[in-house]
Amino acid sequence: MATENSFLAGEAEVIRVFVAESTLMANELLAAALSSDSRFCVVGTGKTEDEVLAGLRSPIDVVVVGMGIGAPSWGAHLTRRLMTVNPRVRVAMLLERAGRDEVVEAFRSGAAGVLSRTEPIEVLWRCIESVHRGKVWANDDALKFLLEALANRPSDQATGLKPACVLNEREQVIVQLVAEGFTNREIAAELNLNEHTLKYRLEQLFEKLDVSSRTEMVLAASARDPREPYPVTPEEYMGASVDNETRYKWYSRAAEQPFPFAHLTLGEMHLEGIGTRKDAVGAYAWFSVAEESARRIMNAGRAYREWLASGLSDEQVARADQMAAQWLAQHPKEGGLL
């Protein structure tokens, strides 16, 4: 069960940390280590997904997620869920083995900082402080793994950003050359640009991706944003003439995230044989996934509403309900998807 500790209101410099390890002992040991420093206040711990998500009801600055040997994908999966429920929370991930696959998976799941358990506790402290300030934390080896991962990706998949931030072909090339270690002069020569123009293009990329350095730019372009990777339908994004096979591929990719509308659409496409062969078993499976995804979102939404309602007046709750009803009336399609 998630545990909670009180913290002093008004101590803005104290970072509120939630510890999420897969075992009780690991949680207790890490919480004790962090509590020994006055810069941090451990506001809770959790060893299951439900316990950690329940902990998000309290104000939290950084979640430290452990990726254990026995469940190497647990940390990445949990981080994706955390980002979906609360996109503002920052995650620092502890890896048992900081190999290439583990590092890349950690950042792609949404972690802002990644470090190995073999690092001294002081390194974890600095990592937490860094991600709390909105920075990316990784050592040289981890950055090298990420740069290699981006450099090896096909250019047409170089970004999984939301449509408003999708990089054009020239921007993708610039990011990839930066990832490969090219200097500004070398990139300018490669693209037949002068260095002043390239500098301007880089500044535009920094603003577009909301970053402040070349390294953060590469990380932002290489890591899929788990909070809003596919917020529109393929018809809205590519036009009404999109073919069924493309629609099926689009929703299959969107289904990797907790989006019930994508799961529901795939069930309908399997049922009707649209973009794929008719498959009643596959349709049943996708409808089951859609139902479970929607249930989890409903539970999370209900928990948030109950928590917020405890601090709102009856009038405020009534006004919020009216606002929600008006939005659903104006967006019948979106409301029906859930």
Side-chain angles (χ1 to χ4, degrees), residues 201-214:
R201 294 281 179 85
L202 285 170
E203 290 173 352
Q204 286 184 313
L205 272 169
F206 284 4
E207 182 177 356
K208 190 172 188 177
L209 297 174
D210 192 24
V211 298
S212 58
S213 70
R214 290 161 64 99

Side-chain angles (χ1 to χ4, degrees), residues 102-146:
E102 291 81 5
V103 168
V104 173
E105 175 70 5
F107 274 112
R108 285 181 176 166
S109 69
V114 171
L115 70 160
S116 170
R117 290 187 189 276
T118 60
E119 305 263 18
I121 187 64
E122 292 80 9
V123 175
L124 174 59
W125 292 343
R126 294 200 297 272
C127 174
I128 293 173
E129 288 184 312
S130 180
V131 300
H132 176 55
R133 293 195 301 269
K135 302 298 183 182
V136 173
W137 177 275
N139 62 24
D140 291 342
D141 287 338
L143 287 177
K144 179 175 178 290
F145 293 144
L146 280 168

Side-chain angles (χ1 to χ4, degrees), residues 1-325:
M1 183 175 182
T3 61
E4 295 184 4
N5 299 326
S6 62
F7 55 88
L8 297 177
E11 291 188 359
E13 68 278 4
V14 175
I15 301 174
R16 298 163 296 189
V17 181
F18 191 97
V19 178
E21 289 274 19
S22 57
T23 68
L24 178 60
M25 181 179 292
N27 270 314
E28 291 178 347
L29 289 173
L30 186 53
L34 288 170
S35 297
S36 67
D37 191 288
S38 60
R39 290 171 294 179
F40 310 111
C41 176
V42 178
V43 297
T45 67
K47 58 183 175 61
T48 68
E49 181 177 318
D50 288 343
E51 289 177 359
V52 178
L53 294 179
L56 290 184
R57 299 172 192 172
S58 301
I60 295 171
D61 299 313
V62 177
V63 179
V64 178
V65 173
M67 186 179 281
I69 295 175
S73 62
W74 183 80
H77 169 76
L78 177 60
T79 300
R80 290 189 177 93
R81 293 285 291 122
L82 289 171
M83 292 291 100
T84 301
V85 174
N86 185 356
R88 294 181 298 277
V89 74
R90 305 287 289 178
V91 173
M93 190 176 292
L94 284 171
L95 303 180
E96 294 287 347
R97 177 182 176 276
R100 180 184 186 280
D101 292 343
E102 291 81 5
V103 168
V104 173
E105 175 70 5
F107 274 112
R108 285 181 176 166
S109 69
V114 171
L115 70 160
S116 170
R117 290 187 189 276
T118 60
E119 305 263 18
I121 187 64
E122 292 80 9
V123 175
L124 174 59
W125 292 343
R126 294 200 297 272
C127 174
I128 293 173
E129 288 184 312
S130 180
V131 300
H132 176 55
R133 293 195 301 269
K135 302 298 183 182
V136 173
W137 177 275
N139 62 24
D140 291 342
D141 287 338
L143 287 177
K144 179 175 178 290
F145 293 144
L146 280 168
L147 297 181
E148 289 174 349
L150 179 61
N152 292 331
R153 294 177 71 178
S155 60
D156 63 345
Q157 295 180 2
T159 176
L161 303 170
K162 57 187 178 181
C165 292
V166 169
L167 305 185
N168 60 41
E169 186 175 352
R170 176 55 65 90
E171 290 170 333
Q172 291 181 27
V173 171
I174 292 175
V175 172
Q176 188 150 344
L177 290 174
V178 170
E180 292 174 5
F182 281 57
T183 66
N184 280 7
R185 178 173 296 180
E186 291 169 336
I187 296 174
E190 182 76 14
L191 301 180
N192 196 28
L193 300 172
N194 62 54
E195 290 189 55
H196 178 75
T197 300
L198 176 63
K199 182 180 179 182
Y200 174 70
R201 294 281 179 85
L202 285 170
E203 290 173 352
Q204 286 184 313
L205 272 169
F206 284 4
E207 182 177 356
K208 190 172 188 177
L209 297 174
D210 192 24
V211 298
S212 58
S213 70
R214 290 161 64 99
T215 298
E216 288 185 339
M217 178 185 72
V218 171
L219 294 178
S222 64
R224 173 179 295 175
D225 185 346
R227 294 164 290 184
E228 195 179 21
Y230 300 101
V232 297
T233 65
E235 292 84 0
E236 292 171 315
Y237 186 55
M238 293 179 279
S241 61
V242 61
D243 61 87
N244 287 332
E245 184 177 353
T246 300
R247 289 182 67 237
Y248 181 78
K249 290 180 179 179
W250 178 282
Y251 284 110
S252 293
R253 292 174 61 196
E256 294 299 316
Q257 306 298 325
F259 292 149
F261 84 88
H263 305 150
L264 183 66
T265 301
L266 283 175
E268 294 171 343
M269 297 182 83
H270 276 279
L271 184 65
E272 302 295 334
I274 299 174
T276 185
R277 65 181 179 84
K278 280 191 175 183
D279 179 8
V281 174
Y284 185 100
W286 278 118
F287 289 141
S288 296
V289 172
E291 186 176 355
E292 176 61 18
S293 296
R295 183 189 68 80
R296 292 179 180 180
I297 291 175
M298 288 174 63
N299 288 342
R302 184 180 300 110
Y304 272 117
R305 284 194 301 105
E306 292 174 353
W307 173 56
L308 289 168
S310 64
L312 296 176
S313 65
D314 291 342
E315 181 182 352
Q316 289 175 313
V317 171
R319 187 164 73 249
D321 287 338
Q322 184 180 18
M323 291 168 60

